[in-house]
């Protein structure tokens, strides 16, 4: 049953990535949204689950499908939380840039933190640095702690930061200390997950980004044994009221990875759209297309990379799983 569900979730992100790929480099983010949300929802509704979307494409009034609170699936006996990003990095797809992925995660009902549509300060690291990060410390102090835990010199460390004016001081401090910085324009889920994989060369993600993306990253990191700390950021009273409506009373609370994701009964899948450190891009060849996916099963501690060859006139015709 669980193996079947894992396989079906990989099919969800594969299908969504294939629907996004024709829009790579076309500059049309609205078209990307429409096609991919519809594709993901269609496959999800075929699954034998009763899932509540807790991290979705938006609120009910603003998003016609996959909105927060929407119930999907066709089986009332298996209740789960669902977190989705049909395209994580829409602008990356529109501009033809790397690290756009399609993501979905399932968890036991009540396991995922419901967060408002707001910013979050976050630090993400892999298993070697689990337990050493402290969001109340400075970025440089965290850099030093993670480097020590990983047995690296500071000048060997690669830190990912969103390229935003708000990070000007953070970036300057890390450069001054001698770290390598990988600046990204969008798509911090893929690089956040990459901190926990040994073949990506990424050691830490730090800075302010979307709260929904923070929860998605935490799900994958929990499967991989990584670590994360976050704090929600409010800009005005409206955001504070949103937090209170979602029963978040302590606006200064530090959320650990266990606060973001309770337990280990979680499944995470991502399929590459434009390619990057985490996953390869969708590649077309005649009437066929190749996808590259990552499947993480937190309960069984399973990590799979899945290469799938799809016949665009029919169904996929070949699957090669690499453990």
């Amino acid at each position: 049953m669980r193996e079947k569900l894992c396989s079906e979730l990989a099919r969800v992100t594969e299908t969504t990535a294939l629907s996004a790929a024709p829009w790579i480099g076309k500059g049309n983010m609205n078209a990307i949204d429409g096609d991919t949300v519809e594709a993901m929802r269609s496959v999800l509704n075929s699954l034998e689950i009763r899932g509540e979307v807790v991290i979705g494409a938006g609120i009910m009034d603003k998003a016609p499908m996959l909105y927060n609170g929407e119930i999907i699936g066709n089986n009332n006996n298996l209740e789960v939380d669902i977190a989705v990003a049909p395209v994580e990095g829409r602008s990356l797809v529109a501009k033809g840039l790397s690290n756009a992925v399609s993501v979905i995660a399932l968890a036991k009902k009540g396991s995922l933190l419901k967060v408002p549509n707001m910013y979050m300060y976050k630090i993400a690291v892999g298993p070697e640095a689990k337990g050493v990060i402290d969001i109340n410390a400075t970025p440089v102090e965290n850099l030093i702690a993670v480097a020590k835990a990983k047995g690296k010199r500071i000048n060997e460390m690669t830190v990912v930061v969103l390229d935003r004016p708000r990070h000007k001081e953070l970036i300057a401090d890390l450069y001054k200390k001698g770290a390598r910085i990988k600046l990204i324009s969008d798509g911090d889920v893929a690089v956040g997950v990459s901190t926990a994989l040994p073949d990506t060369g990424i050691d830490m993600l730090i800075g302010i980004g979307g709260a929904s993306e923070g929860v998605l990253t935490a799900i994958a990191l929990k499967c991989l044994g990584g670590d994360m700390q976050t704090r929600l950021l409010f800009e005005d009273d409206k955001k504070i009221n949103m937090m209170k409506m979602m029963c978040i009373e302590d606006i200064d609370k530090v959320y650990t990875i266990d606060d973001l994701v309770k337990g280990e009964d979680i499944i995470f899948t991502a399929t590459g759209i434009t390619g990057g450190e985490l996953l390869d891009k969708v590649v077309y060849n005649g009437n066929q297309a190749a996808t590259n996916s990552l499947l993480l099963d937190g309960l069984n501690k399973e990590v799979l990379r899945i290469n799938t060859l799809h016949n665009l006139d029919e169904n996929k015709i070949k699957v090669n799983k690499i453990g």
Side-chain angles (χ1 to χ4, degrees):
M1 175 69 177
R2 190 175 183 87
E3 184 177 351
K4 179 184 177 184
L5 183 57
C6 287
S7 177
E8 288 175 335
L9 287 178
R11 180 167 60 92
V12 172
T13 54
E14 287 174 351
T15 301
T16 311
L18 288 171
S19 72
W23 296 104
I24 294 173
K26 298 294 182 65
N28 190 337
M29 287 197 289
N30 292 331
I32 296 167
D33 271 347
D35 284 0
T36 56
V37 172
E38 184 175 353
M40 178 172 276
R41 187 174 184 269
S42 176
V43 183
L44 276 173
N45 270 328
S46 71
L47 303 188
E48 294 183 4
I49 59 171
R50 185 183 189 276
E52 178 186 353
V53 179
V54 298
I55 301 291
I59 59 176
M60 187 186 301
D61 294 338
K62 301 274 182 79
M65 296 181 288
L66 292 178
Y67 55 82
N68 292 356
E70 183 176 358
I71 303 299
I72 53 179
N74 62 16
N75 185 340
N76 288 335
N77 295 322
L78 181 58
E79 292 190 299
V80 295
D81 286 349
I82 298 177
V84 303
V87 177
E88 212 292 286
R90 291 182 311 146
S91 67
L92 301 177
V93 175
K95 297 174 183 178
L97 300 175
S98 62
N99 283 321
V101 295
S102 178
V103 180
I104 186 167
L106 259 64
K108 184 178 179 181
K109 186 173 176 59
S111 297
L112 302 182
L113 181 70
K114 296 180 180 180
V115 293
N117 180 23
M118 61 192 304
Y119 285 120
M120 171 185 276
Y121 180 56
K122 42 198 168 185
I123 306 174
V125 293
E128 303 95 331
K130 186 174 179 61
V132 307
I133 55 174
D134 179 2
I135 203 165
N136 291 316
T138 68
V140 168
E141 287 170 338
N142 278 291
L143 172 70
I144 293 170
V146 174
K148 182 178 180 181
K150 299 191 75 168
K152 286 189 169 186
R153 294 187 291 270
I154 297 295
N155 62 7
E156 297 173 327
M157 293 286 290
T158 298
V159 183
V160 174
V161 182
L162 277 168
D163 191 4
R164 299 288 190 273
R166 61 179 177 261
H167 290 145
K168 183 178 179 181
E169 184 177 342
L170 183 156
I171 291 168
D173 288 344
L174 294 177
Y175 274 142
K176 186 176 180 180
K177 194 64 182 177
R180 299 189 183 104
I181 299 177
K182 179 180 175 64
L183 295 174
I184 59 171
S185 61
D186 285 288
D188 61 344
V189 172
V191 289
V193 177
S194 295
T195 62
L197 295 169
D199 56 348
T200 63
I202 295 175
D203 299 295
M204 181 169 68
L205 176 142
I206 191 166
I208 299 169
S212 297
E213 291 83 353
V215 175
L216 280 165
T217 303
I219 297 166
L221 289 177
K222 187 130 194 215
C223 292
L224 292 165
D227 203 3
M228 194 167 183
Q229 286 190 11
T230 69
R231 183 188 292 112
L232 291 167
L233 302 176
F234 53 91
E235 302 128 67
D236 48 39
D237 290 341
K238 182 179 178 181
K239 294 293 186 183
I240 294 175
N241 290 334
M242 285 174 60
M243 293 172 71
K244 290 182 177 178
M245 286 176 63
M246 299 182 77
C247 300
I248 300 172
E249 295 294 337
D250 184 358
I251 60 176
D252 296 317
K253 178 179 173 64
V254 173
Y255 292 91
T256 67
I257 195 166
D258 292 324
D259 294 320
L260 299 168
V261 188
K262 293 181 173 64
E264 297 183 340
D265 191 358
I266 47 180
I267 303 169
F268 174 98
T269 68
T271 300
I273 301 171
T274 59
E277 289 88 356
L278 183 65
L279 292 160
D280 295 333
K281 65 182 180 181
V282 175
V283 177
Y284 290 95
N285 184 14
N287 70 337
Q288 296 180 345
T291 57
N292 179 224
S293 303
L294 179 68
L295 169 62
L296 307 174
D297 182 346
L299 200 59
N300 293 323
K301 306 300 182 188
E302 187 173 46
V303 179
L304 287 177
R305 290 191 178 274
I306 306 173
N307 297 319
T308 307
L309 187 62
H310 306 259
N311 187 324
L312 300 180
D313 298 327
E314 302 171 11
N315 295 317
K316 62 189 181 186
I317 60 174
K318 183 180 180 182
V319 178
N320 177 26
K321 294 186 179 181
I322 307 171

